Amino acid sequence: MAKPSFFRAEQSSMAPDRSSDHSLPATVSFTRRRDLVFIVNPRGANGRAGGEWKKLLPFLRSRLGTDYNICESFTSGPSHAIDITREAIREGADAVIAVGGDGTLHEVVNGFFLGGKPVPNHDPKAAHTTALGLIPLGTGSDFARTLGWKNSPRDAIERIAKGLRSRIDVGVITRDGGESHYFINVADVHLSAKAGYYASKYKRFGNLCYVIGSLQAFFGHHNQDLRIKVDEGEWKVYSQVTALCIGNAKFFGGGMKITPNADPSSGNFEVVVLQDFKWYDFVLKLNKLYNGTHLSVKNVSSRRVHSIEVEEIGGSSGSIYVQSDGEYLGFLPMKFCILPAAIEMIH
């Protein structure tokens, strides 16, 4: 696994035309409190993110360079953003900024935790905690939609410059014998997760990848009976489940408002269950699913929960897909819990 590495993009003493390619050691020490680490996925936005980031740097320097020590790091592959985030937090960074889409943000959020606990600062006397930030540059920016943000990198930099922060919730997913996995947006089960799995293979087509993935997922799909336990209560059987969505935020799949009442600062999830849907139901009700008015549709239910466990019944084990924030996680059974106010976020 690649070691974290940072590149200093700007210091307050640097002139605007100085080079931004001065390498720092992998275990760089942040000597100022107001240090920002920008984690860039250069392959995001169908390979455009790296170039867009370079074009954005002059504006970023002009807005932030006098107040912050800016470091940038480019990811080299899957999970690299997790490692970079953990190192930045340990070294006392004031904030870690995800530059990319929901996939990059998802990895950065997972970097805030290790072994089921928040990653600690190396300095136990540190008076601040590392905040999370976002500059959307990817294929999808579903979490930004929940917060009412436009897909505008310059607007995101203005938010960072203002420095307003508040704590948001994070979801955690566990299974017997497995590591904890974290999500900030939406986790989902069965058809929607399977569609997301296939969509990830077609990201070169932009948001059209979600349509292609959905069409592919429909082939061979069967609704499935599931056992569900909510808030440590009794197990109940939900028959013919098509999809189950656990929302910390509202949107997934490139703008579908699947959990319209979810709020990442509410301290609970919104769970939406679609039952006994046929392929033509999605065609006829697609507009409602996208604009968030589907909760009144037949065979759609919604409730608020703090935790939910989901198991497969009546079928072959290991056939029900699970994903979170668009990232494939495997198959049922799994448990989903809310961690209220788990991360401080720049907004």
Side-chain angles (χ1 to χ4, degrees):
M1 184 176 291
K3 292 183 178 180
S5 59
F6 302 99
F7 300 89
R8 194 172 301 278
E10 179 70 27
Q11 295 184 17
S12 60
S13 60
M14 292 175 66
D17 60 350
R18 290 284 297 273
S19 170
S20 62
D21 295 326
H22 301 295
S23 297
L24 292 181
T27 55
V28 59
S29 293
F30 297 91
T31 56
R32 296 174 54 194
R33 184 182 183 278
R34 298 174 67 82
D35 292 321
L36 303 180
V37 175
F38 293 82
I39 301 180
V40 185
N41 174 13
R43 293 161 303 283
N46 299 320
R48 300 190 308 273
E52 290 183 19
W53 168 249
K54 289 181 180 179
K55 294 177 184 177
L56 194 62
L57 269 175
F59 178 72
L60 185 145
R61 291 169 179 159
S62 69
R63 291 297 291 119
L64 303 175
T66 58
D67 296 320
Y68 295 95
N69 179 42
I70 298 167
C71 294
E72 61 181 333
S73 185
F74 293 91
T75 60
S76 60
S79 300
H80 192 193
I82 297 176
D83 298 325
I84 299 168
T85 301
R86 288 172 179 164
E87 183 67 11
I89 293 171
R90 291 185 184 111
E91 296 296 336
D94 195 54
V96 177
I97 316 296
V99 183
D102 290 317
T104 305
L105 177 63
H106 177 75
E107 285 202 3
V108 170
V109 167
N110 274 270
F112 273 75
F113 303 91
L114 179 63
K117 299 179 181 179
V119 173
N121 188 321
H122 277 327
D123 181 4
K125 298 180 180 179
H128 75 284
T129 59
T130 301
L132 169 69
L134 171 64
I135 297 180
L137 282 182
T139 303
S141 298
D142 282 321
F143 187 74
R145 286 187 178 96
T146 290
L147 300 178
W149 296 350
K150 297 178 181 178
N151 196 22
S152 169
R154 289 196 171 215
D155 286 354
I157 291 171
E158 292 295 344
R159 284 191 292 271
I160 296 167
K162 290 178 181 178
L164 298 177
R165 303 180 180 195
S166 62
R167 302 201 73 85
I168 60 168
D169 308 331
V170 171
V172 58
I173 305 172
T174 56
R175 65 184 306 170
D176 290 342
E179 295 183 0
S180 298
H181 194 91
Y182 300 86
F183 68 100
I184 195 172
N185 201 42
V186 177
D188 51 308
V189 175
H190 207 14
L191 179 62
S192 55
K194 189 175 182 181
Y197 172 76
Y198 287 124
S200 66
K201 302 178 183 297
Y202 301 104
K203 285 192 173 181
R204 63 187 180 277
F205 296 113
N207 280 344
L208 186 60
C209 70
Y210 301 111
V211 177
I212 300 172
S214 296
L215 291 172
Q216 190 169 353
F218 270 118
F219 289 103
H221 169 76
H222 300 285
N223 295 328
Q224 180 70 45
D225 295 345
L226 299 178
R227 291 203 328 143
I228 296 174
K229 180 195 289 188
V230 169
D231 294 340
E232 307 299 334
E234 299 295 323
W235 286 100
K236 295 183 179 180
V237 175
Y238 280 62
S239 63
Q240 296 299 292
V241 173
T242 307
L244 184 151
C245 302
I246 302 132
N248 185 49
K250 301 179 188 296
F251 296 89
F252 80 157
M256 185 179 291
K257 199 173 185 180
I258 192 65
T259 46
N261 298 314
D263 180 348
S265 60
S266 66
N268 51 49
F269 295 128
E270 181 182 25
V271 173
V272 171
V273 184
L274 280 60
Q275 293 173 267
D276 200 26
F277 266 49
K278 309 298 190 295
W279 68 269
Y280 51 81
D281 289 312
F282 284 95
V283 174
L284 295 173
K285 298 161 185 173
L286 188 62
N287 183 59
K288 288 182 177 291
L289 288 166
Y290 266 93
N291 64 28
T293 59
H294 56 286
L295 298 186
S296 61
V297 170
K298 181 182 178 181
N299 294 336
V300 177
S301 60
S302 169
R303 66 182 300 175
R304 299 275 189 174
V305 310
H306 292 95
S307 69
I308 179 169
E309 296 178 63
V310 187
E311 295 182 350
E312 179 180 357
I313 59 175
S316 58
S317 179
S319 63
I320 305 298
Y321 284 69
V322 179
Q323 71 169 4
S324 67
D325 297 349
E327 302 297 316
Y328 168 70
L329 297 184
F331 304 98
L332 292 178
M334 291 194 186
K335 182 177 182 179
F336 308 79
C337 299
I338 195 79
L339 300 178
I343 292 179
E344 187 176 53
M345 185 163 192
I346 301 171
H347 62 85

